[in-house]
Amino acid sequence: MPFRPRYTGLIDKYRDRLPVHDDTRIISLGEGNTPLIRLNNIPRECGRDIDLYVKYEGLNPTGSFKDRGMTMAVTKAVEDGCKAVICASTGNTSASAAAYAARAGIAAFVLIPEGKIALGKLAQAMIHGAVVLQIRGNFDEGMRLVKEVAQNTPVTIVNSINPFRLQGQKTAAFEIIEELERAPDFHCLPVGNAGNISAHWMGYSEYLEHGIVNNRPRMIGYQASGAAPFLRGAMIDNPDTVATAIRIGHPQSWELAWKVREGSDGWFDECSDEEILAAQKLLTEKEGIFCEPASATSLAGALRDIDSGKIPAGSSVVCTLTGHGLKDPDTAIRQCAGGVISVDAALGPVRDAIVENLA
Ligand code: F0G
């Protein structure tokens, strides 16, 4: 039989490892099953013997890893008879919640920080028909308001404090193990609320406990310098970074993430905005992979730790690229100093421009 069954999303694939029933109505957009791409040019150019992969989560249906958690959270909300979901968001959660709510035929309310969300994400929440509440405050304030309002309003919170979110997100670790036929030595992630790093650890631990593998990675969480409460060891009130997705000072999975660090013998570190943008550009120019700034934090940190030897030569390393680069076109364009070349619509000027720019 030359045909394989149609891929129908991660709940169908990992049904036995997720809290769903045979008759649960699954709300899916075919999320998960994202490529694990081995980097070729970057390791060669930095002269390190390293087996470096990126897990390109930007290729999920709404362009970020949030879809893994959202398929579960919305499926369970619908199963419970809920008619509306709510979240606070730096952008990706709101885009995903809006899309899965649309798919389910229920309402979505999203609270976003005014002026601090990338254009693509705002467009997504709006076009999917979410009620977009732009608050004059940051993500952390939005999160507090969502928790308060959900106490006496018939809405289900679909932020990562919803335990079904992490259940869905743990499947990324399953996929990595299945491709590598073992767990990597190190797994690097950008950290905001720290839900995703905690979910990955759950996934790795589950496959270890069930004897599918006999190793787990050391988990490394990188934060933007202006929003690095884990590194400071305390919450911070005015986070700021170009990586707006992780502009968070009061992480919701604080306790869980410290347990991940201890359990995996991992660490937290920070990357400056300059390092983050440089890693984003390196990945686009050297490997053809476009991720959003926050996502490049994992690679920025990993390259520094590979360079210093903290991640030893010979290691296998996976960096999660959490969101697609098209989410934030403004930041991408701002990074390209040369810009575009305007020419008259005639052969001469076009040919001249090509000749001048041939290496
Ligand atoms: N990368 C991207 C692209 C994100 O959107 C987020 C979180 C993270 C990393 C951090 O993941 O919070 O699990 O540690 N975005 C949330 C949102 C906060 O609202 O979209 P985390």
Side-chain angles (χ1 to χ4, degrees):
M1 176 70 173
F3 304 117
R4 274 191 296 166
R6 193 166 64 87
Y7 179 80
T8 50
L10 60 85
I11 298 184
D12 268 348
K13 178 162 182 206
Y14 295 108
R15 190 172 268 283
D16 296 349
R17 301 195 172 276
L18 293 168
V20 287
H21 308 287
D22 287 347
D23 59 353
T24 301
R25 178 184 157 216
I26 308 294
I27 311 298
S28 171
L29 292 166
E31 57 295 308
N33 198 24
T34 56
L36 182 68
I37 305 171
R38 189 164 191 268
L39 298 188
N40 294 330
N41 302 324
I42 293 175
R44 193 174 55 238
E45 283 185 21
C46 74
R48 302 283 159 177
D49 163 32
I50 211 90
D51 211 12
L52 182 57
Y53 299 86
V54 291
K55 178 77 168 157
Y56 197 9
E57 290 286 274
L59 293 192
N60 275 295
T62 77
S64 86
F65 73 95
K66 304 288 179 179
D67 297 342
R68 289 185 187 273
M70 208 54 74
T71 184
M72 272 304 301
V74 174
T75 291
K76 295 305 279 186
V78 168
E79 189 173 62
D80 289 349
C82 132
K83 297 274 180 281
V85 293
I86 190 167
C87 65
S89 182
T90 56
N92 281 323
T93 301
S94 57
S96 187
Y100 283 81
R103 179 80 164 161
I106 60 174
F109 296 91
V110 305
L111 273 71
I112 54 165
E114 188 175 52
K116 293 290 182 184
I117 138 169
L119 200 62
K121 304 175 188 179
L122 179 61
Q124 288 178 289
M126 292 172 74
I127 197 79
H128 287 302
V131 177
V132 180
L133 304 175
Q134 191 163 255
I135 61 162
R136 288 185 276 278
N138 62 24
F139 168 85
D140 302 310
E141 290 164 293
M143 196 63 241
R144 179 175 49 78
L145 289 165
V146 161
K147 286 180 183 167
E148 279 174 23
V149 81
Q151 277 173 15
N152 48 22
T153 319
V155 289
T156 300
I157 300 178
V158 292
N159 282 103
S160 55
I161 55 171
N162 176 324
F164 298 121
R165 277 277 312 274
L166 299 198
Q167 284 294 316
Q169 285 170 219
K170 75 181 179 185
T171 61
F174 296 167
E175 290 177 12
I176 292 166
I177 286 176
E178 286 158 23
E179 293 219 23
L180 297 179
E181 300 182 5
R182 66 187 292 274
D185 299 320
F186 294 88
H187 190 136
C188 308
L189 290 116
V191 167
N193 279 312
N196 208 26
I197 196 169
S198 306
H200 277 78
W201 185 241
M202 281 168 52
Y204 283 124
S205 301
E206 195 171 317
Y207 266 21
L208 178 75
E209 277 154 31
H210 288 86
I212 295 166
V213 277
N214 53 22
N215 70 318
R216 286 186 296 189
R218 295 176 75 180
M219 304 294 294
I220 317 177
Y222 296 108
Q223 299 206 283
S225 299
F230 283 106
L231 202 70
R232 314 274 171 265
M235 305 284 182
I236 60 167
D237 284 336
N238 293 303
D240 206 14
T241 166
V242 68
T244 51
I246 51 172
R247 190 172 168 271
I248 293 169
H250 289 241
Q252 297 298 310
S253 294
W254 181 257
E255 306 290 339
L256 273 180
W258 285 110
K259 288 202 183 114
V260 172
R261 199 203 70 161
E262 278 153 37
S264 77
D265 193 23
W267 63 86
F268 294 115
D269 208 338
E270 62 182 313
C271 300
S272 68
D273 281 0
E274 293 71 27
E275 285 177 299
I276 292 170
L277 293 179
Q280 184 197 22
K281 200 133 193 283
L282 189 71
L283 198 56
T284 52
E285 290 184 344
K286 300 291 178 195
E287 304 280 2
I289 301 167
F290 188 20
C291 68
E292 67 169 287
S295 308
T297 310
S298 58
L299 183 67
L303 290 177
R304 197 178 56 210
D305 285 339
I306 288 167
D307 211 37
S308 72
K310 200 167 174 186
I311 295 177
S315 303
S316 63
V317 183
V318 172
C319 293
T320 297
L321 302 180
T322 43
H324 202 287
L326 290 172
K327 293 270 189 177
D328 189 355
D330 297 308
T331 307
I333 290 171
R334 236 180 288 126
Q335 277 211 80
C336 303
V340 294
I341 304 167
S342 291
V343 291
D344 289 333
L347 184 58
V350 169
R351 194 171 40 212
D352 289 351
I354 290 171
V355 170
E356 264 171 48
N357 284 282
L358 272 176

